[in-house]
Amino acid sequence: MDSQIKQLHQQLMNKEISCTALIQEKLDLLKANTNNTVNTLLDSLALELATKVDTKIANGEPIGLLEGIPFGIKDVYMLQGTYTTASSQLLKNYKSAYTATAIQKLLDAGAIPIVKENCDSFGHGSSSENTIFGAVKNAINPNLVGGGSSGGSAVNVAKDYTVFSIGGDTGGSVRQPAGYNHVYGLKPTYGRISRYGLMAYASSTDCVGPIAKSVEDIRIVLNVMSGKDVKDQTTYASSEITKETISNAEGIKTVGYFKNFIENEAIDSKIKADFLDAIEKIKAKGIVVKELDFFKSDILVSTYYTLAMAETASNLSRLDGSNYGHRIEDKNLKESYAITRSENFSEETKRRIVGGNQVLSQGFSDEIYLKGLALRDAISENFENDFKEVDIIISPVTPSTPPKIGDSLKDPLAMYLSDAYTVGFSLGQLPTLTVPQGTETGLQITAAKNNDELVLKFANFLKDTI
C-alpha cells in the first residue's frame, strides 16, 4: 500500500536523508507558501526534535515508524507553550498551557509538529475564509476556497508541506476540505479519539480527524491517536486496525446510497453523473447496490445547525476576556464583556452565538432545541436501520464544487447548504472518510458506529476500482 510515512521512515533509517534536512525542507516550503495555510511555524521546536532523531539514527538506535515524520496541527488544538489562536482576534496572543491528548500521543510516537494551521475561526465556516490570517487558497486552484473549517490542514497535505495533518471535524470540517483539495480526510466514530485539548465547537459532534495522501497513512495515524482517555469520558477502548484486515474488500456484499442526495435539484450535474458512474463500477465488481431513503438534506442541515449553534453559544460563553483572550475595558464589567466579545469575534461566530442563544432561550427551547434533539435521535435510528440492509453507504462529499474566494461570505445560507451531505453522518456519530476519487470533490464512505476498519477497507477497494 502507498504510504509516505513508511517511505520517509525507510529513507531516514537508510540515512538517505537526515531528519533535520527533512524538517527544514518542509519549514521552507511552509514559509514561502502563498496559500495562507500557516498561523504559526513551530521551527525551533521542530528542529530541536529533529536533532534528537538524527542522533538516535547516528548511534544506530532503532526509531519508530512515526519518529521524525513532520505533521501539521489545525490551530484549535492545545500544544503546550505554542500559540493556539483558533484563527481568531480574541485568542491571537493565547498560548496553550497544556497539550491535547491526541497531539501528545503523536509526540510520544516521535512525530514532529511543524505548523499550527489556518482554519475558520473557532471552526465556524465551510470555506476557511472566517480567519484573521487571510482566506486559505485551494491547493488546485488558488482562486477557489480551501474549504473549511480545516482548510489549512487539507491544503498543506495536498501541497506536500506536511506529510499528514490533524484537523477537527464537527459537521464535515475535515471531509469537505479534503474533498476540495483531493486528499483523504477521516471523521472517525465519535469517541474513538479523545477531544481533550481540542477547543470545543459543538461537543456532541466534534471529532479529531487525520488528513493524509493515502489510506495507509490515515490508518497509521488513526491507530496512534485512538483509545480511551480518562480526561474525556466520551472515549472508548478500540482495537488496532491492521494493514492486513483492510487489504481487501472481502465481506462487503452490499452498498447503499441515498437517492434523495442524488435526485436533489441542488447537486451539480457533473458530480451527479460521476457519482452514478462510480455506482456502476461498484456493481460491475459483483457488489449489490441499494437505493436508500433518508431525511431531506435541508432537514439535516437545519437539525445540525440548531444543535451546533446551541452548543457553540454555550461553549463560547466562557470567552469574555476575563480568563482567556484579548480584553477590552469599558465603563463597567458588563460593558467590558460586551465590547470584548463584539470586537473580537468574527461575524460568523457572532451569527452562531446569537442563533444558539435564540435556540436555548426561555420559551423557545422546547419548541426548537428539544425538537432538534428528537430529530437527531430519529436520524440515528434511521442509520441503524440502513446498516441492517447494507454494509457501507457512499455519497458525494458536497453537492457542488468549491466556490470562489469571497462568494461564501456574501451568502452564509449557501455556505450552510454546502454541508448538506456531511452533517447527517456527524449527527449519527458515524465513521466517514473522504476519498479523492469518483467526483471532483471526492466520495464519502460511511459505516456503522465503531466500524472504522470497514471504512478503510472499502476505501482501498475503491482506490483500485474507480
Side-chain angles (χ1 to χ4, degrees):
M1 292 181 190
D2 296 336
S3 168
Q4 281 193 62
I5 292 173
K6 288 181 175 176
Q7 184 183 0
L8 287 170
H9 172 73
Q10 201 58 53
Q11 289 178 316
L12 288 169
M13 289 294 289
N14 294 343
K15 299 182 181 177
E16 295 169 19
I17 56 170
S18 75
C19 188
T20 301
L22 171 64
I23 297 298
Q24 189 62 62
E25 178 194 348
K26 299 297 185 186
L27 289 171
D28 290 343
L29 288 170
L30 284 164
K31 202 169 188 177
N33 103 83
T34 57
N35 290 74
N36 294 333
T37 61
V38 177
N39 287 3
T40 309
L41 273 184
L42 306 174
D43 40 4
S44 299
L45 171 65
L47 290 169
E48 181 186 333
L49 294 172
T51 301
K52 292 179 180 176
V53 174
D54 282 336
T55 301
K56 285 182 73 172
I57 294 171
N59 291 336
E61 298 176 39
I63 59 170
L65 187 58
L66 277 179
E67 212 157 345
I69 304 299
F71 73 102
I73 305 171
K74 183 179 181 179
D75 203 9
V76 290
Y77 288 94
M78 301 299 166
L79 175 60
Q80 190 173 28
T82 69
Y83 288 107
T84 301
T85 71
S87 295
S88 70
Q89 184 70 24
L90 184 66
L91 298 178
K92 68 178 181 181
N93 294 315
Y94 176 73
K95 280 192 172 180
S96 308
Y98 62 100
T99 298
T101 297
I103 305 303
Q104 187 61 55
K105 287 187 172 186
L106 292 169
L107 291 172
D108 293 344
I112 297 180
I114 59 173
V115 58
K116 300 296 278 293
E117 298 167 318
N118 200 359
C119 57
D120 281 303
S121 179
F122 295 105
H124 299 159
S126 304
S127 63
S128 286
E129 293 175 285
N130 299 298
T131 160
I132 63 168
F133 295 97
V136 176
K137 298 177 183 176
N138 190 284
I140 292 106
N141 181 347
N143 295 317
L144 307 180
V145 302
S149 60
S150 307
S153 307
V155 171
N156 280 341
V157 171
K159 301 283 280 186
D160 288 322
Y161 300 154
T162 60
V163 175
F164 66 91
S165 287
I166 305 304
D169 192 307
T170 305
S173 326
V174 161
R175 291 163 284 155
Q176 185 245 48
Y180 279 0
N181 295 283
H182 301 182
V183 292
Y184 291 87
L186 174 68
K187 185 197 84 62
T189 299
Y190 180 79
R192 185 181 181 96
I193 302 175
S194 171
R195 291 177 291 111
Y196 178 75
L198 164 64
M199 282 190 196
Y201 163 16
S203 306
S204 67
T205 54
D206 286 342
C207 287
V208 179
I211 300 171
K213 276 196 162 177
S214 70
V215 179
E216 180 64 356
D217 285 350
I218 291 283
R219 181 190 72 83
I220 292 168
V221 176
L222 175 66
N223 278 338
V224 170
M225 294 193 296
S226 297
K228 193 165 179 57
D229 180 12
V230 294
K231 296 170 183 170
D232 178 355
Q233 294 304 308
T234 64
T235 54
Y236 63 92
S238 55
S239 303
E240 180 180 358
I241 299 173
T242 66
K243 176 183 170 184
E244 289 70 29
T245 57
I246 64 167
S247 60
N248 63 66
E250 286 178 9
I252 298 177
K253 306 295 183 189
T254 53
V255 168
Y257 72 93
F258 296 122
K259 62 183 179 185
N260 62 312
F261 278 12
I262 305 307
E263 293 170 358
N264 195 316
E265 290 180 0
I267 191 170
D268 178 274
S269 59
K270 181 72 165 54
I271 288 179
K272 177 179 178 177
D274 289 345
F275 178 80
L276 292 175
D277 186 50
I279 289 291
E280 292 305 315
K281 289 175 180 173
I282 292 169
K283 285 180 181 174
K285 291 289 183 179
I287 292 178
V288 175
V289 177
K290 292 185 177 179
E291 289 184 347
L292 302 170
D293 290 317
F294 199 45
F295 292 83
K296 291 181 179 177
S297 53
D298 56 346
I299 292 177
L300 299 176
V301 172
S302 58
T303 303
Y304 168 75
Y305 277 102
T306 295
L307 300 177
M309 286 185 180
E311 293 184 34
T312 293
S314 176
N315 282 324
L316 293 192
S317 63
R318 77 193 77 172
L319 298 183
D320 56 19
S322 296
N323 294 312
Y324 308 102
H326 174 60
R327 181 185 179 90
I328 301 174
E329 298 290 350
D330 208 328
K331 53 192 175 188
N332 57 46
L333 186 61
K334 186 178 178 182
E335 293 299 320
S336 293
Y337 286 166
I339 195 167
T340 294
R341 288 167 66 83
S342 176
E343 294 293 320
N344 287 320
F345 281 137
S346 71
E347 289 303 308
E348 183 56 38
T349 294
K350 284 188 277 191
R351 189 177 294 119
R352 295 183 186 209
I353 290 174
V354 170
N357 284 331
Q358 173 75 7
V359 169
L360 296 173
S361 60
Q362 191 171 15
F364 288 93
S365 60
D366 287 358
E367 187 180 341
I368 304 176
Y369 183 64
L370 295 182
K371 190 174 180 181
L373 290 178
L375 272 169
R376 181 171 67 185
D377 291 343
I379 289 167
S380 293
E381 187 178 341
N382 205 106
F383 279 128
E384 287 177 14
N385 292 331
D386 286 338
F387 285 115
K388 291 174 183 171
E389 291 187 41
V390 300
D391 302 306
I392 286 287
I393 293 172
I394 68 167
S395 52
V397 180
T398 61
S400 54
T401 54
K404 289 180 181 177
I405 289 176
D407 285 357
S408 294
L409 298 178
K410 296 176 193 168
D411 190 351
L413 180 59
M415 181 181 71
Y416 297 160
L417 292 174
S418 73
D419 298 338
Y421 294 172
T422 55
V423 294
F425 303 122
S426 295
L427 292 169
Q429 302 186 332
L430 305 174
T432 307
L433 174 72
T434 287
V435 298
Q437 288 110 26
T439 79
E440 187 172 336
T441 58
L443 293 173
Q444 265 182 133
I445 302 169
T446 305
K449 274 186 185 178
N450 307 329
N451 268 335
D452 303 62
E453 179 179 287
L454 202 62
V455 167
L456 299 184
K457 179 183 285 201
F458 195 68
N460 272 325
F461 165 77
L462 276 191
K463 181 165 60 69
D464 300 328
T465 303
I466 59 176

